[in-house]
Amino acid sequence: MVSLSKVEGDKLQCLLCPHYCKLANGKTGICGVRKNTGNEIELITYGIVSAVSTDPVEKKPLYHFYPGFNIFSIGSYGCNMRCDFCQNYHISQNVPNNHISKETPEKLINEALKLDKNIGIAFTYNEPMIWFEYVRDTALLAKKARLKTVMVSNGFVNKEPLDELLGFIDAFNIDLKAFNNVFYKKLTGSEIEPVKAGLKQIAQSGKHLEVTTLIIPGQNDSEKEMEMQVEWMADELGRDVPFHLSKYHPMYKREDRATPEYSLSKLFEIASKKLTYVYLGNTPSFTGKDTYCPSCGAIVTRRSGFKATLLNLDEKGNCTECGTMVYRHFYL
């Protein structure tokens, strides 16, 4: 078990994420949920759940991790980024003073086991990295119950905690919010390099990885930047890592216009030259939703909303037309 704090003068320093917050007694870090209680940094939201839902796994979005199944999704409060465009700002940028109830890991596992077509538990909605101790305790129980575990995260975490997470998390969807550090500093209050390092760490571990970028007009929609991003992804993460381009809608403090369809289409075209599986999300367009065999072009999954219809696949996730493996994690 990694150490998540150390003494720094008369303060405690949090070692979970690259902010390295130095906290006086009684103070919380940037995330709002990790507090110096005198002798340790305590997770004050342990067991505090803001949202619970049974979602299609495609909603995370994970398109190549047991497609067509559901996953029990839970979230809490707080975040170690300050994105002014946050889509879940009411929980990520808010930590209530009064909590109504707490959910034990055991209770959540029992609920997950009762659900139909449920593959496991997803830690999502707010930033799950800062919920580290609760995620760890719940995920370890989930593994004993033969449930899969998923984390939907901004990826802003230090190497040692991520190493521990890789021991009990099966799949990740990581937001690569842009491919320039100016964006990260100005719009998120963080930096890009730790996210890139974390992505490489996950890819090298062999755990399932998918990447999402929310496209904001005038901020991260440059064609040149996208060319650089997908070239880096292909070289460092692998050409077959699924990539989701998501449409932005005005939210929280940012009032930029919604992402134009033509912009998404152009970036989709650029990404598809380097990456095998590219998808468009948060848009009514039918383009960029389906999965095709990369070898013969046969359609293997048709998607409408978050509903996935599996086609031309055998019980191992291979294309029945040519035998190429499309899905490494798969049930029929």
Side-chain angles (χ1 to χ4, degrees):
M1 189 179 300
V2 300
S3 174
L4 296 178
S5 66
K6 70 174 183 180
V7 177
E8 185 74 12
D10 59 350
K11 299 179 180 180
L12 288 179
Q13 184 175 40
C14 182
L15 305 178
L16 180 60
C17 89
H19 285 307
Y20 290 108
C21 294
K22 296 178 182 179
L23 307 177
N25 193 358
K27 297 298 182 179
T28 56
I30 289 172
C31 64
V33 304
R34 309 188 68 81
K35 182 178 182 180
N36 181 349
T37 57
N39 296 316
E40 63 178 355
I41 293 179
E42 179 184 337
L43 173 62
I44 62 174
T45 54
Y46 189 96
I48 302 300
V49 176
S50 66
V52 175
S53 179
T54 303
D55 294 330
V57 71
E58 285 80 11
K59 194 175 181 180
K60 297 305 94 189
L62 289 171
Y63 278 15
H64 287 242
F65 191 75
Y66 302 100
F69 280 79
N70 297 323
I71 193 157
F72 189 48
S73 301
I74 62 173
S76 187
Y77 295 92
C79 186
N80 58 350
M81 288 190 181
R82 289 288 179 265
C83 303
D84 65 4
F85 52 88
C86 182
Q87 308 292 290
N88 287 329
Y89 67 92
H90 55 292
I91 58 172
S92 71
Q93 305 302 314
N94 177 42
V95 181
N97 292 322
N98 297 314
H99 303 302
I100 298 173
S101 63
K102 291 187 176 183
E103 301 286 350
T104 66
E106 291 81 3
K107 181 179 178 181
L108 290 177
I109 298 303
N110 289 335
E111 290 182 23
L113 289 169
K114 297 174 185 176
L115 299 172
D116 184 46
K117 291 192 70 176
N118 178 51
I119 60 167
I121 289 184
F123 304 97
T124 180
Y125 302 135
N126 73 309
E127 176 48 54
M129 293 290 186
I130 63 172
W131 213 20
F132 185 93
E133 294 86 348
Y134 189 72
V135 168
R136 178 194 61 209
D137 294 350
T138 305
L140 288 173
L141 284 178
K143 301 305 292 180
K144 290 182 180 179
R146 297 187 177 182
L147 293 170
K148 305 299 180 183
T149 54
V150 166
M151 178 172 278
V152 182
S153 171
N154 61 33
F156 194 65
V157 64
N158 286 330
K159 181 183 185 302
E160 291 77 13
L162 182 54
D163 269 336
E164 186 168 338
L165 286 168
L166 288 167
F168 46 77
I169 298 297
D170 296 304
F172 295 80
N173 185 295
I174 302 295
D175 286 336
L176 181 54
K177 296 179 183 291
F179 206 64
N180 73 83
N181 204 41
V182 172
F183 179 103
Y184 265 85
K185 285 187 173 182
K186 182 180 177 182
L187 274 68
T188 78
S190 64
E191 296 183 344
I192 190 174
E193 289 304 323
V195 179
K196 290 167 64 179
L199 282 164
K200 291 170 64 175
Q201 191 175 343
I202 295 168
Q204 291 165 6
S205 76
K207 293 303 179 80
H208 183 76
L209 172 64
E210 303 193 21
V211 177
T212 298
T213 299
L214 180 71
I215 302 300
I216 304 176
Q219 301 295 336
N220 63 349
D221 60 346
S222 158
E223 294 178 13
K224 183 173 180 57
E225 182 175 321
M226 183 55 62
E227 289 172 355
M228 294 170 60
Q229 176 173 330
V230 295
E231 183 171 354
W232 178 86
M233 289 176 61
D235 291 344
E236 300 292 346
L237 309 181
R239 292 181 59 88
D240 292 343
V241 168
F243 180 40
H244 303 264
L245 289 162
S246 188
K247 181 173 182 173
Y248 157 87
H249 294 278
M251 189 68 69
Y252 194 30
K253 298 179 180 180
R254 185 156 290 279
E255 299 179 352
D256 304 73
R257 63 192 175 112
T259 320
E261 294 292 330
Y262 67 82
S263 179
L264 282 174
S265 296
K266 184 60 179 177
L267 297 179
F268 176 87
E269 179 184 328
I270 291 169
S272 298
K273 292 178 181 178
K274 289 287 185 179
L275 303 175
T276 306
Y277 303 108
V278 182
Y279 300 103
L280 295 180
N282 206 22
T283 170
S285 171
F286 289 104
T287 303
K289 301 291 193 299
D290 300 335
T291 301
Y292 297 87
C293 173
S295 295
C296 72
I299 186 169
V300 296
T301 308
R302 180 171 284 118
R303 296 183 180 86
S304 177
F306 296 117
K307 180 182 178 182
T309 302
L310 304 176
L311 305 163
N312 303 314
L313 289 163
D314 66 18
E315 68 278 1
K316 295 182 179 180
N318 300 327
C319 173
T320 54
E321 296 296 313
C322 69
T324 298
M325 185 186 73
V326 181
Y327 297 126
R328 186 161 57 101
H329 304 282
F330 187 75
Y331 295 139
L332 264 183

